[in-house]
Amino acid sequence: MKRKVTKYIALMAVGMLSFHACQTDFEKINRDFRHPTEDDLKKDGLDVGGFFTSFQTTIFPVGNSGTDYVNDYQIPYTLAGACWIGYISPAQNKWIGRGFPSYSLKGWSDYTFSVMYKKTFASWLNLKEQTIGDDAVNALLDIIKVTSLHKATDTFGPIPYLKISKGNMLQATYDSQKDVYSEMLKELDNAVQVLDQVRHNVLPKYDLMYGGDYVKWGKLANSMMLRLAMRVVYADEALAKEYAEKAISNPFGVMVEANDMAQLSQGAGLFLNNPLVIINGSSYNDARMGAEIYSYMVGYEDPRTDVYFTKAKQSSVEGFYPVFKSLEKVSEYLDRTKYSLLNVQNATPIYIMKASEVAFLRAEGALRNWNMGGATAEELYNKAIALSFKENGIDDSKAKSYVANSSNKPVKFVDNTNPANNLAPVSTITVKWEGKEFEKSLEQIITQKYIALYPDGQEAWSEYRRTGYPHIFPAKFVRTDSDVDGTVGPTRIVYSNKEYTDNLENINKAVQMLGGPDKGNTRVWWDKKSNK
């Protein structure tokens, strides 16, 4: 019975976090025993534990029934960042002039804000109310909140963060992105200190990611601190260096082994499906290998290509055949035998953060002469690639051959359906570390990081905006409603019309903090690099 109740609670909608059952003799006699009461919830931590499990799925949408979680993943992540950065292309651009693939941003803005921001914050506020005085649980809640909500501020810019409460969510006051980032870094730092003080596992029966292992949660918090610190390096280098070095020097350390990664797949008695399975499958049929990732991975003869994508066949020739991210609606690309699909199964995890990403972050820090644990930028770069190979089940000997290659370069994009779409490669960067000049070294780090991050297009898109790498193809077909430059792609998503209706005074102040018009070509606060 306990297992059934746990599973039921874990899958409840986030909006039910405020549920409170009334208890009377009449209700005890007449209640439906398929549904838990407040007393049921309190047994063995179920009142918090089940909702904690559900809260973790606000980082990225996963599920095991219906298609709500699929749509919550597809629109904000697959059709936005992953499409814009060239990981995944829709098989057919069905949303010309009204959706993200053609750089039309307004129609899906409110949906994206709800998935990335509102669901997470509403859940966090309710759980914080239920866990007053439990420092260890609150530390984990804050880590999850930051891990989830930094994507929202990276996408929109200023968001409500510091002064929000349950009573003012509809008319919330926005905070500058600088203030949001400063607060998130402090929250991660505080969470790590709390975990170091309590030194015990937290909600092990309800933790999807780490089974309550507080040490791994500490590593995730420090690794996320390193990610956020590096994000602001061009806006506030002193702050970036301070928190990057703090993350590395903390006793918990950062992720260093493949099994340190944070992911959503199974745990707490649940088996959750990867939403890309349905997006990629015959029912949606909305995903193909992207042109950019094809250019880099096929050019480098990368053995991870077979892990990420399936081969197709054109003119009796088997190989990888991508689709470009920004084309007019063409039925030919719907043929699942002619174009490469995603190699994904229900059990394939949704990755939140990998050890390989952390090693790439450390490599960049070392390149900037920060203290990243004593290793050089080259050593950490090679380690990051080796970790990525390991994370994808590829033998270490292949990683060694890969990092030693100084001749392979990105290849051109070829569209056999319409050769007018063919594009020459946009980079000549190779794999083998050169280390002769900063920008070339940074391009090597971010390009390989781009490959390792797949399919996390949100993070790859943020890193592209921050650094200008990897180089991407210019769009072929742009129908923007937000002044997006097709050669660059969106630099942010605009605020929704609903915010202007429901929260006009505060959204106007948010645009003032943004420092530019509420358009898709305005840079967010940390997007300051001048020579992109």
Side-chain angles (χ1 to χ4, degrees):
M1 176 65 184
K2 183 185 295 182
R3 181 179 179 85
K4 290 181 179 178
V5 173
T6 304
K7 192 168 185 177
Y8 176 85
I9 298 299
L11 294 174
M12 289 177 72
V14 171
M16 292 187 67
L17 287 172
S18 60
F19 166 77
H20 293 286
C22 297
Q23 297 296 314
T24 66
D25 289 340
F26 179 81
E27 288 171 337
K28 287 178 182 177
I29 294 170
N30 292 281
R31 77 178 179 87
D32 184 347
F33 283 89
R34 293 172 298 174
H35 298 278
T37 67
E38 189 171 5
D39 286 340
D40 290 330
L41 298 180
K42 289 180 179 178
K43 293 175 183 177
D44 201 22
L46 279 170
D47 55 334
V48 172
F51 293 129
F52 176 78
T53 307
S54 180
F55 183 43
Q56 290 179 291
T57 67
T58 65
I59 300 174
F60 280 117
V62 289
N64 55 17
S65 63
T67 58
D68 286 350
Y69 75 96
V70 179
N71 299 330
D72 283 357
Y73 187 86
Q74 182 183 28
I75 289 176
Y77 299 113
T78 304
L79 295 175
C83 176
W84 297 333
I85 201 67
Y87 276 165
I88 301 170
S89 292
Q92 193 178 62
N93 195 350
K94 299 178 288 187
W95 309 277
I96 294 172
R98 60 184 181 90
F100 293 156
S102 58
Y103 302 146
S104 180
L105 308 180
K106 293 181 180 179
W108 292 345
S109 173
D110 186 61
Y111 189 105
T112 299
F113 192 64
S114 178
V115 171
M116 284 189 171
Y117 174 82
K118 291 180 181 178
K119 290 183 178 181
T120 297
F121 226 119
S123 302
W124 179 80
L125 287 170
N126 278 285
L127 278 167
K128 292 287 278 191
E129 191 176 79
Q130 295 181 54
T131 56
I132 294 173
D134 193 331
D135 292 344
V137 172
N138 274 276
L140 266 57
L141 294 178
D142 285 349
I143 295 169
I144 295 169
K145 180 185 74 165
V146 173
T147 300
S148 182
L149 290 181
H150 86 271
K151 299 195 295 292
T153 187
D154 288 346
T155 297
F156 292 93
I159 60 171
Y161 196 85
L162 278 75
K163 298 176 283 293
I164 193 168
S165 66
K166 290 176 70 174
N168 73 346
M169 283 201 72
L170 287 178
Q171 283 80 39
T173 302
Y174 280 68
D175 297 292
S176 71
Q177 190 174 50
K178 180 179 180 179
D179 288 346
V180 172
Y181 256 79
S182 296
E183 184 66 18
M184 289 192 298
L185 288 166
K186 290 175 185 176
E187 287 173 333
L188 291 172
D189 187 25
N190 179 71
V192 171
Q193 292 182 40
V194 169
L195 292 176
D196 190 40
Q197 291 168 2
V198 299
R199 290 193 166 271
H200 64 72
N201 290 346
V202 185
L203 296 175
K205 294 181 180 179
Y206 309 101
D207 180 7
L208 280 169
M209 291 158 54
Y210 290 131
D213 188 332
Y214 77 96
V215 174
K216 289 198 171 183
W217 275 102
K219 288 183 178 181
L220 172 60
N222 284 326
S223 300
M224 192 58 57
M225 189 188 303
L226 179 58
R227 176 194 277 184
L228 300 192
M230 194 63 73
R231 184 81 84 241
V232 307
V233 68
Y234 290 104
D236 191 336
E237 186 173 1
L239 182 70
K241 184 174 185 289
E242 174 191 352
Y243 276 95
E245 292 185 341
K246 181 178 287 190
I248 297 300
S249 63
N250 184 271
F252 285 117
V254 294
M255 297 179 186
V256 293
E257 301 294 341
N259 63 6
D260 288 333
M261 71 171 66
Q263 62 186 39
L264 293 170
S265 177
Q266 59 179 298
L270 299 175
F271 292 88
L272 299 169
N273 296 335
N274 189 314
L276 286 170
V277 171
I278 293 178
I279 297 168
N280 183 59
S282 57
S283 59
Y284 275 35
N285 198 22
D286 277 340
R288 298 292 184 269
M289 181 187 201
E292 277 89 347
I293 200 164
Y294 163 87
S295 175
Y296 287 103
M297 295 190 79
V298 171
Y300 295 145
E301 299 179 1
D302 194 320
R304 290 169 292 183
T305 316
D306 288 289
V307 179
Y308 292 175
F309 302 101
T310 64
K311 289 182 178 178
K313 187 175 286 188
Q314 294 186 15
S315 301
S316 301
V317 179
E318 187 178 67
F320 294 103
Y321 294 97
V323 171
F324 196 56
K325 63 194 172 193
S326 175
L327 296 175
E328 296 188 69
K329 187 176 178 180
V330 177
S331 297
E332 181 73 14
Y333 304 121
L334 292 171
D335 191 328
R336 298 172 63 82
T337 67
K338 291 184 176 180
Y339 290 92
S340 294
L341 307 173
L342 315 186
N343 187 9
V344 61
Q345 293 77 41
N346 279 326
T348 303
I350 287 289
Y351 298 105
I352 298 167
M353 195 170 200
K354 303 176 187 176
S356 55
E357 179 194 341
V358 177
F360 281 119
L361 287 164
R362 292 174 65 196
E364 183 177 345
L367 184 67
R368 297 179 183 279
N369 297 314
W370 298 351
N371 183 1
M372 292 289 104
T376 67
E378 179 180 5
E379 290 168 341
L380 289 166
Y381 170 81
N382 289 336
K383 177 181 175 64
I385 293 172
L387 277 168
S388 180
F389 274 56
K390 187 173 183 179
E391 289 162 350
N392 287 285
I394 299 172
D395 189 78
D396 186 57
S397 62
K398 293 185 178 180
K400 291 178 180 177
S401 299
Y402 182 83
V403 298
N405 193 300
S406 60
S407 58
N408 286 348
K409 296 178 181 179
V411 296
K412 69 182 296 185
F413 164 67
V414 176
D415 184 351
N416 292 324
T417 295
N418 185 359
N421 293 328
N422 294 355
L423 291 165
V426 288
S427 175
T428 58
I429 202 73
T430 57
V431 177
K432 185 178 180 180
W433 182 261
E434 293 188 15
K436 294 179 181 179
E437 55 184 85
F438 180 90
E439 276 303 316
K440 193 163 187 178
S441 297
L442 182 62
E443 184 180 357
Q444 286 190 299
I445 290 171
I446 302 301
T447 299
Q448 290 302 316
K449 184 180 184 180
Y450 164 79
I451 295 172
L453 280 169
Y454 174 87
D456 188 353
Q458 171 70 27
E459 186 60 24
W461 174 50
S462 292
E463 286 295 83
Y464 163 72
R465 290 178 290 157
R466 178 179 74 89
T467 66
Y469 305 122
H471 293 296
I472 63 173
F473 294 121
K476 301 285 287 186
F477 189 73
V478 177
R479 288 282 186 87
T480 182
D481 57 6
S482 307
D483 292 352
V484 175
D485 182 345
T487 62
V488 176
T491 51
R492 60 181 290 275
I493 291 178
V494 299
Y495 295 118
S496 74
N497 290 335
K498 184 174 175 57
E499 276 296 282
Y500 284 95
T501 301
D502 296 345
N503 197 16
L504 180 60
E505 181 179 352
N506 287 316
I507 198 66
N508 283 336
K509 291 178 181 178
V511 175
Q512 290 177 359
M513 289 185 285
L514 185 61
D518 185 11
K519 298 289 186 178
N521 61 354
T522 297
R523 294 188 182 192
V524 296
W525 166 71
W526 48 253
D527 187 357
K528 289 286 199 296
K529 189 179 180 186
S530 60
N531 62 334
K532 290 193 296 182

